Amino acid sequence: MTRLTRLVTAELWPPLLAGTLLFTAILCFGYFFVSSQWLQGVPLGLVGRWIAYQVPDTLVKVLPMAVVLMTVVAFGRMNTERELVAVQSGGVSLGRLAQPAGVVALLVTALSIWLSLWVAPRANVETRGLYWDTLTGAGLSTLAGKTVDLGGGLTLYLSSYNPATRELRGIRVEKWQADNYQRGTLILAERGTYEGQQLRLQGYSTFIVDYAAAKALTQVPENDPAAFRAAVQAVFPSVVVPEKATDRLTVDTGLSRQQTLAKYADAIGADAQGWAELTATLRDPKAKPADRQNARISLNRKLALPFANLVLTLAALPFALRYGRTLGVSLGVALGLAVAYYVLFLVGLTVAGTLPAFPEVGVWLANVVFLALGLTLLRRA
């Protein structure tokens, strides 16, 4: 029986690896093709590094397709050449023959979970940072004229950005008190830099502003200068203007420069949240309900897609026995099953957004449907 397990396992690895390489290469070529207009004159080493950073997230998406191809090709070939019939006539059940496929799918699932929750989020941040800062050289230019949330109630606005010097111009930093929406700190700076998690500002002024006190200005008598000065002092309890124009102010931010680029540089932000970030949001009693809901959906999504490797292995087995006669047919069946799964998976994510109490129902919908489909077809087979 051990020898039989080794033989079946040997049938599984070649199509799994071939499918993984094929589908990964196709998607990576797509990334390169879409961005090729921005990569003229860029050293091939940097382009290769940029593509390599996208591989972890790509693998999470293509591994389910690869395991479907693995199952259809391997078991289809064994069935076509009557190897399955010969083994089953010797008293070995189909379930026993399929155990190696289940073990391989379980290993792929574990790998996919690790990539999805720990590796891909960080690689996605590195991808965007490398793309905007090094490959295109645009840096923070796409953020000019925008107000971006740096976390912890801190927002940043910049009027312009010089890619050559990596310098920000016309900077406004705001942070409002959590317990008083009318009182906050405002920092205005002529220029500065943003590296790592630090904003270094030059030509700055710092103001603490109380807008509740500003309302009281309208009630101050016009003929009472002392009362007016006291009211203005209440509006601006603290004003800091450095004596030297060369003095610098360092502000620690909640997001690093790369994380800011990953979140705001593109129209669609990078998927940069992993296990630590998502679970922290879910445990945070001060987190906004919308943020907690999004974290709940994202965490389930990052678990549901890896488990598709197990579900699709089971669902693909009856199709392999019926249709896996040639490599071309096997590839077509594998692609058809994978596309059907991903369509249903996207539908489930849409449904999850309409079920705030139980978003898991929508996220795991595709897995449940394909698991039921596989078990039903296997009974009939």
Side-chain angles (χ1 to χ4, degrees), residues 29-45:
F29 176 77
Y31 303 146
F32 174 80
F33 182 78
V34 170
S35 303
S36 58
Q37 61 178 325
W38 303 104
L39 303 179
Q40 297 178 11
V42 176
L44 289 178

Side-chain angles (χ1 to χ4, degrees), residues 6-202:
R6 289 200 300 267
L7 291 173
V8 174
T9 303
E11 292 283 342
L12 298 172
W13 286 113
L16 175 64
L17 295 176
T20 301
L21 290 173
L22 174 63
F23 297 134
T24 301
I26 291 173
L27 287 186
C28 287
F29 176 77
Y31 303 146
F32 174 80
F33 182 78
V34 170
S35 303
S36 58
Q37 61 178 325
W38 303 104
L39 303 179
Q40 297 178 11
V42 176
L44 289 178
L46 281 178
V47 175
R49 182 179 164 196
W50 173 65
I51 293 176
Y53 277 138
Q54 300 180 70
V55 169
D57 189 60
T58 302
L59 283 174
V60 175
K61 296 178 174 66
V62 305
L63 283 174
M65 294 188 286
V67 297
V68 173
L69 183 64
M70 169 194 78
T71 305
V72 176
V73 170
F75 283 89
R77 191 203 67 78
M78 288 188 287
N79 186 53
T80 300
E81 298 185 8
R82 302 296 181 183
E83 293 179 8
L84 294 182
V85 175
V87 174
Q88 287 178 300
S89 65
V92 180
S93 67
L94 179 61
R96 177 64 186 85
L97 282 170
Q99 283 182 9
V103 172
V104 172
L106 185 61
L107 293 174
V108 173
T109 298
L111 171 64
S112 189
I113 290 175
W114 176 63
L115 291 173
S116 179
L117 287 171
W118 282 277
V119 180
R122 288 161 179 76
N124 289 341
V125 171
E126 295 290 339
T127 299
R128 296 296 176 88
L130 180 64
Y131 182 79
W132 289 107
D133 268 341
T134 305
L135 298 185
T136 67
L140 299 172
S141 297
T142 58
L143 303 185
K146 299 179 182 178
T147 299
V148 297
D149 185 357
L150 299 181
L154 193 72
T155 61
L156 168 68
Y157 171 88
L158 58 145
S159 299
S160 62
Y161 175 78
N162 187 336
T165 61
R166 295 169 69 98
E167 189 176 71
L168 291 66
R169 289 277 183 172
I171 304 165
R172 182 176 69 239
V173 179
E174 300 177 45
K175 185 171 184 179
W176 297 91
Q177 290 186 5
D179 57 348
N180 186 352
Y181 72 95
Q182 298 183 91
R183 185 184 177 99
T185 300
L186 175 66
I187 304 174
L188 303 177
E190 295 177 4
R191 58 190 179 276
T193 59
Y194 185 8
E195 303 294 342
Q197 287 190 313
Q198 292 186 332
L199 278 167
R200 292 183 173 87
L201 307 177
Q202 192 171 351

